[in-house]
């Protein structure tokens, strides 16, 4: 299609943006709780085995597997109870042939024992005797020292976004602080003479600036330090001034509006004067125009003005780029397959990001349907949606019952 010659595909633009971006300099050492959701800036290795000692996986009785020699599972085993090992209170004596100790989950298994029978498979005719039936397999129910981590093993790698599990994982090694990449600073503003901020009165033809609120939320979810620069009018010197001060204070600058072909050319002019910017037309819907480049030491993203285009282009291009700047290893949106329950209308030419509602049946089947009117200024369907349905550029309409690619919105599934 000749029209598509001048258009770049979504993945082409993703590749161009991501391959250019390096992780920012700047590392900080933070306490474990502060490390949640931050990006690890170091590899972390174990300094001792975990678990540190053999311990019991069950409440029951510990004894030597030698007691089981030549026994079959039908036979019962009678042992003398000579002591106990509770979590935090290990048994310090010796266990001889014919002897066992009472043991609890997590309690140290003494050197003389290597097998634990669960309590439910025992009887105690008197307080000094345990009768085991059925007998366990040799070495059963013992968690070996080092079977989670061995001393010296690298267990978390640079670039990992630290999850609640990772905090626990670090805690098992007694690690109180880790190095993470510093927080990104992002400045953003809206451009347009028609835009008013909340609290101002609307004049004839005006609308409220809503993009600064979607951007606020999207950036906040990425744990970014925000610099909200408000609305900048369609005015050459105001725009130039805004770009200038934004680039001075931020790692990245994000604007919305004013990048469409033919409109307010001074935005382009200004950017070309201040930095190195590409103006791309992307074969996607919504969100065709995108400006990307650098002003000074800052990266610049000029998003289209329409509210849904802002969210769609942020999700496909800006979020992966910011994650890369933070040093994160996985950056592109997760895509899964779901069955569409209805016809999805589309013309071949551009990649569609249709607003969808994804549901999961009790049997686990994923189904998606259209969330409503798809025009790029309509927030009703965007608000109702919990995913984008991604339909490839060359594809036409999709019949009900076919499988489609779906990107669940971040936050919904992690
Ligand atoms: P533009 O890209 O500046 O031509 O804007 C495209 C459309 O998006 C126009 O209808 C604008 O009024 C609208 N728009 C631009 N910026 C915003 C904003 N910050 N909030 C809401 N709508 C906007
Ligand atoms: Mg405008």
């Amino acid at each position: 299609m000749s029209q598509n010659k001048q258009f770049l595909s979504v993945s082409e633009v993703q590749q161009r943006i991501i391959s250019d971006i390096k992780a920012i300099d700047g590392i900080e050492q933070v306490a474990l709780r502060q490390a949640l959701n931050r990006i690890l800036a170091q590899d972390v290795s174990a300094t001792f085995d975990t678990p540190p000692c053999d311990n019991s996986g069950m409440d029951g009785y510990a004894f030597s597997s030698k007691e089981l020699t030549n026994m079959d599972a039908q036979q019962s085993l009678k042992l003398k109870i000579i002591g106990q090992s509770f979590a935090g209170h290990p048994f310090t004596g010796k266990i001889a042939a014919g002897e066992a100790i009472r043991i609890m989950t997590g309690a140290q298994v003494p050197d003389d024992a290597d097998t634990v029978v669960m309590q439910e498979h025992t009887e105690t005719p008197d307080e000094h005797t345990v009768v085991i039936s059925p007998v366990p397999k040799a070495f059963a129910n013992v968690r070996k020292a080092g079977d989670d981590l061995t001393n010296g093993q690298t267990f978390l790698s640079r670039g990992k976004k630290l999850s609640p599990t990772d905090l626990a994982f670090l805690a098992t090694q007694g690690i109180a602080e880790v190095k993470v990449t510093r927080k990104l600073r992002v400045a953003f503003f809206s451009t347009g003479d028609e835009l008013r901020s909340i609290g101002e009165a609307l004049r004839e033809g005006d609308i409220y600036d809503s993009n600064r609120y979607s951007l606020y939320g999207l950036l906040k979810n990425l744990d970014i330090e925000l610099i909200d620069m408000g609305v900048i009018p369609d005015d050459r010197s105001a725009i130039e001034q805004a770009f200038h001060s934004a680039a001075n204070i931020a790692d990245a600058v994000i604007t919305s509006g004013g990048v469409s072909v033919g409109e307010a050319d001074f935005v382009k002019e200004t950017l070309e004067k201040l930095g190195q910017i590409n103006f791309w037309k992307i074969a996607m819907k919504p969100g065709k125009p995108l400006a990307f480049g650098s002003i000074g030491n800052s990266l610049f993203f000029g998003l289209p003005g329409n509210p849904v285009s802002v969210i769609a282009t942020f999700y496909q291009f800006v979020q992966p780029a910011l994650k890369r700047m933070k040093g994160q290893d996985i950056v592109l949106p997760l895509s899964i397959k779901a069955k569409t329950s209805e016809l999805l209308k589309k013309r071949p030419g551009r990649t569609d990001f249709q607003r969808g509602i994804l549901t999961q049946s009790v049997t686990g089947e994923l189904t998606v349907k259209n969330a409503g009117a798809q025009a790029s200024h309509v927030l009703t369907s965007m608000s109702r949606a919990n995913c984008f349905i991604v339909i490839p550029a060359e594809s036409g309409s999709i019949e009900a019952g076919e499988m489609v690619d779906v990107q669940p919105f971040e936050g919904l599934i992690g």
Side-chain angles (χ1 to χ4, degrees), residues 189-192 194-195 205 207-212 231 234 256-260 263 289 303-307 310 376-377:
F189 58 88
S190 300
T191 66
E194 78 282 26
L195 303 176
I207 56 171
Y208 282 116
D209 170 12
S210 60
N211 290 344
R212 259 162 57 232
V231 176
D234 291 318
S256 69
V259 290
S260 304
E263 80 166 341
L303 309 185
N306 273 307
V310 166
S376 58
H377 64 286

Side-chain angles (χ1 to χ4, degrees), residues 60-210:
Y61 294 85
F63 56 94
S64 167
S65 57
K66 288 183 195 135
E67 307 290 351
L68 300 167
T69 315
N70 299 327
M71 279 194 80
D72 63 51
Q74 270 46 268
Q75 289 176 281
S76 63
L77 174 65
K78 191 169 162 185
L79 297 171
K80 184 176 171 200
I81 305 168
I82 56 139
Q84 61 188 32
S85 180
F86 282 13
H89 303 277
F91 175 76
T92 49
K94 283 260 160 214
I95 304 174
E99 293 177 345
I101 58 162
R102 177 95 176 102
I103 198 162
M104 306 307 271
T105 305
Q108 185 163 4
V109 175
D111 287 347
D112 299 334
D114 57 16
T115 303
V116 170
V117 60
M118 68 167 89
Q119 184 164 298
E120 291 79 351
H121 293 173
T122 65
E123 276 172 24
T124 42
D126 64 72
E127 61 178 314
H128 300 297
T129 310
V130 59
V131 179
I132 302 169
S133 175
V135 292
K137 290 206 168 79
F139 316 118
N141 302 317
V142 174
R143 309 192 285 212
K144 299 297 287 178
D147 73 2
D148 196 2
L149 290 177
T150 54
N151 187 2
Q153 182 186 341
T154 298
F155 66 99
L156 286 174
S157 300
R158 173 195 298 263
K160 178 129 188 352
K161 181 177 171 185
L162 292 167
S163 67
T165 303
D166 294 332
L167 299 194
F169 207 13
L170 288 158
T172 62
Q173 282 286 317
I175 295 171
E177 295 185 338
V178 283
K179 291 189 173 76
V180 296
T181 55
R182 72 163 168 82
K183 286 197 181 189
L184 278 186
R185 267 190 305 276
V186 173
F188 59 107
F189 58 88
S190 300
T191 66
D193 284 345
E194 78 282 26
L195 303 176
R196 301 276 77 80
S197 291
I198 296 173
E200 293 175 353
L202 291 182
R203 302 167 314 188
E204 191 73 24
D206 285 352
I207 56 171
Y208 282 116
D209 170 12
S210 60

Side-chain angles (χ1 to χ4, degrees), residues 365-405:
E365 191 185 48
L366 294 173
T367 305
V368 72
K369 65 176 185 182
N370 191 304
Q374 296 285 330
S376 58
H377 64 286
V378 174
L379 281 179
T380 306
S381 53
M382 191 70 213
S383 166
R384 215 182 272 149
N386 59 13
C387 66
F388 281 125
I389 306 167
V390 187
I391 311 180
E394 63 284 358
S395 172
S397 295
I398 309 254
E399 298 295 334
E402 286 188 37
M403 298 302 282
V404 287
D405 293 319

Side-chain angles (χ1 to χ4, degrees), residues 230-309:
V231 176
I232 309 296
D234 291 318
D235 168 88
R236 189 186 300 267
S237 67
I239 297 248
E240 185 167 340
Q241 180 54 41
F243 280 132
H244 210 71
S245 41
N248 270 336
I249 48 177
D251 299 304
V253 180
I254 302 172
T255 65
S256 69
V259 290
S260 304
V261 189
E263 80 166 341
D265 271 344
F266 51 81
V267 174
K268 273 191 186 180
E269 258 175 54
T270 311
L271 286 169
E272 273 155 6
K273 193 165 111 192
L274 292 177
Q276 309 214 303
I277 315 288
N278 299 296
F279 289 86
W280 287 321
K281 279 187 279 179
I282 308 171
M284 72 183 281
K285 193 176 149 197
K288 190 163 50 175
L290 181 81
F292 171 69
S294 57
I295 307 173
N297 293 324
S298 295
L299 283 189
F300 169 71
F301 301 89
L303 309 185
N306 273 307
V308 179
S309 308

Side-chain angles (χ1 to χ4, degrees), residues 359-367:
T359 48
Q360 185 172 333
S361 72
V362 284
T363 54
E365 191 185 48
L366 294 173
T367 305

